Amino acid sequence: MEAGTGIHRSSNPSQFSWLILSRNLLLAYQSFGVVYGDLSTSPLYVYTNTFAGKMRKHQTEEVIFGAFSLIFWTFTLIPLIKYICILLSADDNGEGGTFALYSLLCRHAKFSLLPNQQAADEELSAYKYGPSTQAIASSPLKRFLEKHRRLRTALLVVVLFGACMVIGDGVLTPAISVLSAVSGLQVADNKLTKGELVLLACVILVGLFALQHCGTHKVAFMFAPIVIIWLVSILCIGLYNIIHWNPKIVHALSPHYIIKFFSQTGKDGWISLGGVLLSITGTEAMFADLGHFTALSIRLAFALAIYPCLVVQYMGQAAFLSKNLNSMSNSFYDSIPDRVFWPVCVIATLAAIVGSQAVITATFSIVKQCHALGCFPRVKVVHTSNHIYGQIYIPEINWILMVLTLAVTVGFRDTTFIGNAYGLACMTVMFITTFLMALVIIFVWQKSVILAACFLLFFWFIEGVYLSAALMKVPQGGWAPLVLSAIFMLIMYIWHYGTRKKYNFDLHNKVSLKWLLGLGPSLGIVRVPGIGLIYSELATGVPAIFSHFVTNLPAFHKVLVFVCVKSVPVPYVSPEERFLIGRVCPRPYRMYRCIVRYGYKDIQRDDGNFENKLIQSIAEFIQMEAVEPQFSSSESPSLDGRMAVMSINPVQSSLSLMVSEQEILSIDESIQSSRSLTLQSLRSAYDDENPQIRRRHVRFQLPPNPGMDPSVREELMDLIQAKEAGVAYIMGHSYVKARRTSSFLKKLAIDIGYSFLRKNCRGPAVALNIPHISLIEVGMIYYV
């Protein structure tokens, strides 16, 4: 039946298209609970914030019509035209957000500031996503930007500032959404005081953050029907208000009413744009959460549900307000018919929680990506879903967000002040996204500079007007995201600065290979059985800390592997491409290099199998080197050996090692390779797993193979014996200090700021999932 179905599907394109469409419709349904919670709850507070302050004296029917016209055209131009039509096409291997745009730029133009970048990284399948870069190789603008490091640094600073504003969103969204939702209780019961409402909002917020460890995706998916019920509710209320109060509101779809709005309100109208822009807060989530869905599913959800429902709701609220001018302070709840007030109030509260949830998730993701760029201290990352890759929970950030959100809620106590702060944060992110998108149009899409300039100027003009209005409200709460961003930017800068100084120290103090070669294969000390994994940030050369080991320890492991765990500017690296293996010195030294590559959205999970994968990869490298002698330049006394991608997936490579999941007692059973007995050099079987020990133990053995080169057999035997003897993880316990001759600011940044962050963040051994029982740390002071 399945075979017949497959033939029928391929011979009937229309049915295949229907399957794709049905899958995207399912994803569109799921996106309501993840992407659109924030955007769909904006009607709770838009009109209230727009007609705050001096705008109270302009509450006339024409001004209200003009406010709706502004909301309609803003909602059409920014979310619909800019995001749905243009930005969703600028994905990075299916991922969206400011980091996806930056990653695309780093690959199609040499904008990356990540250390350890190698030519081999450009061979990653994810790296090649998008059009070829050959057509723009001679672009003068591209050469100019690549030549000036300060411009590339400025670009990274802009991206990080946008990231800090997204973190600000993670603080402000829960505060304004929940506080706006519970304000409906005050409309129903005038006995409730402002303090009691704030207390109730705080209780809900604490519960929201306490639930994060359960897995945000599960909670958001569970509440997807709530968002849909909410959308249907506000659509029906909007239609009722249009028909019942003022059907003439449909005329306000004409932009002519925008001109009337500004002619009557003047400067007050311009400042009120800070409230109008709240109608598009949450738009960035459509692009940022693209990785969990498809562009088509997000477009379908927006076009079929979000856009019509919200436009009708804003229109209905305006129709109600045009005949009830005194209801401006609680415009949404006053516009609800009495019979359905309580159900809508409950649904509004639940929808606000879902909207907050989505932004908190995005904040976790942003922090993870900042860490991958080397711009955020190490934090604990918990993967919350076995099915949805990329859904994470960061305990430290979660509790920091909770404290900041409670502080904002208790400190401001008013949605107008929080709205001023929230609007500034969201518009800043949109402003930065527009700039990055213009660069993507030039360098990635390879379109003309004129087209990119038109895109940039058109949307920057619209967003610039809103941003200027939001900046006018800095004294009335707008300072909050600026202060939050300044704090997070300072943390990011100090961490990045200290990390780069430490890396440059390692780079300039590498151990000379001539010195190592002069010591001979024994390195001048006793080489004992076992494998030593020496961790370093260097992708080439031998780190300075290795000379400390050699000169201070009487014995060292027979097999040494220099391990470098690094990030590359792609969202994900497939497991088949993760390991780069090479040789450091000639064969008798038994010294290798392993570079483990992760994308900026990859999660380093402790699967307890890293050692086995590493041994298999090195064994495969030894075999490949024997088959292709010209592959390695290890006999050259002055160079590291060339690196090779080692896949341990038998489907991908004929050189792979077959690993049999059997008990040790069954090792005498032959494991036949249908491709090559010569290359099938190792056999393995799993030990009985001790319930108290999570790691799997694999025993490797060489099968009888007379055709194998004796030197290769000897090297493989040494590798197997070393593995049986045990694996030790060796790291430098580094202390970074500024030189005595350094300036006061540098001493402040390194000796106080960076030192504080290092002491209070996760240790490198914990972040890399290194078993504590096998860890050896040697102290070393870095004077930078």
Side-chain angles (χ1 to χ4, degrees):
M1 286 294 289
E2 288 179 10
T5 304
I7 295 167
H8 182 66
R9 186 187 298 174
S10 60
S11 61
N12 191 343
S14 62
Q15 186 173 345
F16 188 59
S17 301
W18 170 247
L19 286 170
I20 294 173
L21 180 62
S22 61
R23 176 177 172 269
N24 278 286
L25 284 171
L26 178 63
L27 286 172
Y29 162 75
Q30 293 172 341
S31 72
F32 288 113
V34 180
V35 177
Y36 291 115
D38 185 15
L39 188 62
S40 65
T41 52
S42 294
L44 287 170
Y45 43 78
V46 169
Y47 282 106
T48 302
N49 280 268
T50 302
F51 287 93
K54 292 182 181 178
M55 278 297 291
R56 291 194 181 98
K57 62 185 180 184
H58 297 290
Q59 293 179 4
T60 65
E61 184 173 307
E62 278 200 338
V63 172
I64 289 168
F65 276 35
F68 165 68
S69 189
L70 267 170
I71 291 169
F72 171 74
W73 285 104
T74 304
F75 201 70
T76 301
L77 290 172
I78 305 292
L80 184 62
I81 304 298
K82 177 187 162 186
Y83 279 86
I84 292 296
C85 297
I86 301 172
L87 242 75
L88 287 183
S89 302
D91 65 297
D92 177 18
N93 292 273
E95 295 295 327
T98 50
F99 276 96
L101 296 177
Y102 180 67
S103 173
L104 282 171
L105 291 169
C106 286
R107 300 206 304 271
H108 288 80
K110 307 295 183 184
F111 292 163
S112 178
L113 289 171
L114 284 171
N116 299 339
Q117 297 307 292
Q118 300 165 287
D121 298 337
E122 298 179 15
E123 299 301 317
L124 288 166
S125 54
Y127 202 99
K128 300 171 185 176
Y129 187 83
S132 169
T133 58
Q134 293 176 357
I136 54 167
S138 59
S139 165
L141 179 60
K142 180 169 175 281
R143 286 201 305 270
F144 177 75
L145 290 172
E146 289 176 352
K147 184 180 178 181
H148 293 83
R149 182 180 174 85
R150 286 186 178 180
L151 292 174
R152 289 183 285 141
T153 305
L155 181 65
L156 177 61
V157 169
V158 167
V159 171
L160 292 178
F161 184 67
C164 290
M165 283 295 183
V166 172
I167 295 171
D169 279 354
V171 173
L172 298 166
T173 300
I176 191 171
S177 297
V178 174
L179 199 55
S180 298
V182 299
S183 65
L185 297 174
Q186 198 172 32
V187 176
D189 186 359
N190 291 324
K191 294 178 183 178
L192 279 174
T193 64
K194 195 75 176 176
E196 289 169 339
L197 277 182
V198 170
L199 180 63
L200 178 61
C202 289
V203 170
I204 294 172
L205 287 169
V206 169
L208 172 65
F209 283 101
L211 283 172
Q212 292 302 311
H213 73 279
C214 298
T216 54
H217 216 85
K218 295 175 187 173
V219 180
F221 269 35
M222 185 172 67
F223 278 100
I226 294 295
V227 178
I228 293 172
I229 294 167
W230 164 251
L231 288 169
V232 172
S233 302
I234 62 175
L235 175 70
C236 295
I237 293 166
L239 285 170
Y240 169 82
N241 286 331
I242 292 167
I243 297 165
H244 185 262
W245 292 106
N246 197 347
K248 290 181 181 178
I249 188 67
V250 294
H251 298 152
L253 293 173
S254 167
H256 174 65
Y257 280 86
I258 296 175
I259 299 167
K260 284 186 176 181
F261 176 84
F262 285 114
S263 65
Q264 291 190 27
T265 58
K267 183 184 176 182
D268 295 337
W270 168 56
I271 293 173
S272 76
L273 290 176
V276 174
L277 70 83
L278 292 177
S279 63
I280 55 171
T281 53
T283 301
E284 190 71 25
M286 289 193 297
F287 186 44
D289 291 330
L290 179 59
H292 303 142
F293 305 97
T294 61
L296 178 59
S297 64
I298 289 177
R299 284 172 173 144
L300 283 171
F302 186 85
L304 298 178
I306 299 296
Y307 186 77
C309 289
L310 289 181
V311 167
V312 170
Q313 166 57 29
Y314 286 124
M315 189 185 290
Q317 232 181 111
F320 170 80
L321 288 173
S322 66
K323 301 299 182 184
N324 299 272
L325 298 174
N326 295 326
S327 297
M328 202 64 76
S329 59
N330 270 304
S331 60
F332 176 77
Y333 284 108
D334 284 347
S335 70
I336 301 172
D338 292 338
R339 291 180 181 179
V340 295
F341 178 84
W342 283 109
V344 172
C345 185
V346 172
I347 294 164
T349 306
L350 293 174
I353 291 169
V354 174
S356 305
Q357 178 100 16
V359 177
I360 294 166
T361 308
T363 307
F364 292 154
S365 183
I366 284 286
V367 169
K368 166 73 179 67
Q369 292 167 29
C370 288
H371 171 62
L373 286 174
C375 297
F376 204 88
R378 291 179 294 270
V379 288
K380 182 181 181 180
V381 178
V382 180
H383 198 262
T384 58
S385 173
N386 292 324
H387 306 291
I388 310 296
Y389 198 79
Q391 282 295 312
I392 58 174
Y393 164 67
I394 302 176
E396 296 97 326
I397 299 300
N398 184 60
W399 303 123
I400 289 170
L401 285 181
M402 188 187 79
V403 171
L404 292 173
T405 302
L406 292 174
V408 166
T409 307
V410 174
F412 285 127
R413 304 167 66 91
D414 187 355
T415 54
T416 303
F417 288 112
I418 301 173
N420 293 340
Y422 186 34
L424 178 60
C426 290
M427 192 47 67
T428 305
V429 175
M430 290 182 186
F431 202 73
I432 290 169
T433 302
T434 302
F435 170 66
L436 293 174
M437 186 63 214
L439 293 178
V440 167
I441 290 172
I442 299 170
F443 297 119
V444 182
W445 290 359
Q446 302 172 19
K447 304 297 182 184
S448 70
V449 177
I450 296 170
L451 182 67
C454 291
F455 170 85
L456 184 69
L457 292 173
F458 178 74
F459 286 107
W460 258 14
F461 174 74
I462 297 168
E463 292 164 358
V465 171
Y466 280 112
L467 190 60
S468 64
L471 287 169
M472 291 298 293
K473 294 191 175 184
V474 167
Q476 291 89 38
W479 55 267
L482 295 177
V483 170
L484 286 172
S485 296
I487 292 169
F488 279 105
M489 276 293 286
L490 186 65
I491 292 169
M492 289 181 183
Y493 176 78
I494 289 173
W495 183 262
H496 182 69
Y497 179 74
T499 305
R500 286 305 297 260
K501 287 291 181 185
K502 180 176 175 292
Y503 174 76
N504 288 334
F505 180 93
D506 275 334
L507 200 63
H508 293 119
N509 292 276
K510 288 193 289 190
V511 175
S512 166
L513 281 179
K514 287 185 178 179
W515 178 70
L516 281 177
L517 292 167
L519 293 174
S522 68
L523 299 177
I525 53 177
V526 178
R527 299 289 291 272
V528 296
I531 297 177
L533 303 183
I534 302 166
Y535 279 78
S536 163
E537 293 178 6
L538 294 178
T540 58
V542 178
I545 201 163
F546 182 66
S547 62
H548 282 245
F549 298 146
V550 174
T551 53
N552 292 306
L553 295 176
F556 219 63
H557 301 88
K558 191 168 187 178
V559 175
L560 296 176
V561 185
F562 294 96
V563 181
C564 170
V565 179
K566 71 171 191 176
S567 295
V568 287
V570 295
Y572 303 106
V573 176
S574 67
E576 293 78 22
E577 297 178 304
R578 195 171 306 287
F579 289 97
L580 266 176
I581 304 292
R583 198 185 285 281
V584 176
C585 285
R587 180 172 287 164
Y589 284 71
R590 303 293 191 256
M591 292 168 67
Y592 310 95
R593 183 182 310 285
C594 173
I595 296 175
V596 189
R597 301 179 291 184
Y598 289 95
Y600 58 83
K601 294 203 79 172
D602 269 323
I603 296 154
Q604 299 177 30
R605 285 200 273 188
D606 182 15
D607 60 0
N609 205 28
F610 172 74
E611 294 173 9
N612 304 325
K613 290 176 181 176
L614 181 63
I615 301 305
Q616 287 177 275
S617 298
I618 293 172
E620 194 168 315
F621 172 79
I622 294 167
Q623 294 174 83
M624 180 184 282
E625 201 178 43
V627 174
E628 304 173 45
Q630 74 280 7
F631 181 82
S632 176
S633 59
S634 61
E635 299 306 320
S636 167
S638 60
L639 297 172
D640 265 340
R642 284 173 55 194
M643 307 293 290
V645 177
M646 288 294 129
S647 166
I648 56 171
N649 187 341
V651 178
Q652 299 293 330
S653 171
S654 62
L655 301 174
S656 297
L657 306 175
M658 300 293 287
V659 179
S660 176
E661 296 192 24
Q662 302 170 12
E663 295 184 6
I664 293 175
L665 294 173
S666 62
I667 59 173
D668 55 347
E669 295 179 15
S670 61
I671 303 172
Q672 298 293 329
S673 169
S674 59
R675 301 204 175 190
S676 171
L677 285 171
T678 305
L679 298 179
Q680 181 56 55
S681 64
L682 298 182
R683 294 192 300 172
S684 67
Y686 289 103
D687 284 311
D688 282 324
E689 186 170 307
N690 188 325
Q692 297 175 345
I693 300 173
R694 293 173 54 211
R695 298 179 181 277
R696 294 182 294 177
H697 297 278
V698 176
R699 179 164 293 170
F700 298 102
Q701 285 191 342
L702 275 175
N705 189 348
M708 183 181 290
D709 185 291
S711 61
V712 172
R713 172 176 285 274
E714 183 187 354
E715 188 170 6
L716 289 172
M717 280 302 299
D718 284 347
L719 186 65
I720 292 169
Q721 289 167 5
K723 172 67 172 69
E724 289 297 314
V727 179
Y729 295 78
I730 301 153
M731 300 190 78
H733 191 85
S734 53
Y735 299 88
V736 183
K737 295 185 177 181
R739 290 195 186 98
R740 291 181 180 178
T741 55
S742 301
S743 65
F744 172 75
L745 280 176
K746 185 176 179 180
K747 287 180 179 177
L748 189 67
I750 297 294
D751 294 344
I752 297 175
Y754 186 65
S755 176
F756 175 81
L757 291 174
R758 278 181 65 86
K759 286 176 183 176
N760 290 280
C761 74
R762 298 266 162 179
V766 178
L768 294 168
N769 299 312
I770 292 172
H772 185 71
I773 198 169
S774 306
L775 178 64
I776 300 171
E777 287 189 290
V778 176
M780 183 174 178
I781 298 176
Y782 288 75
Y783 287 102
V784 298

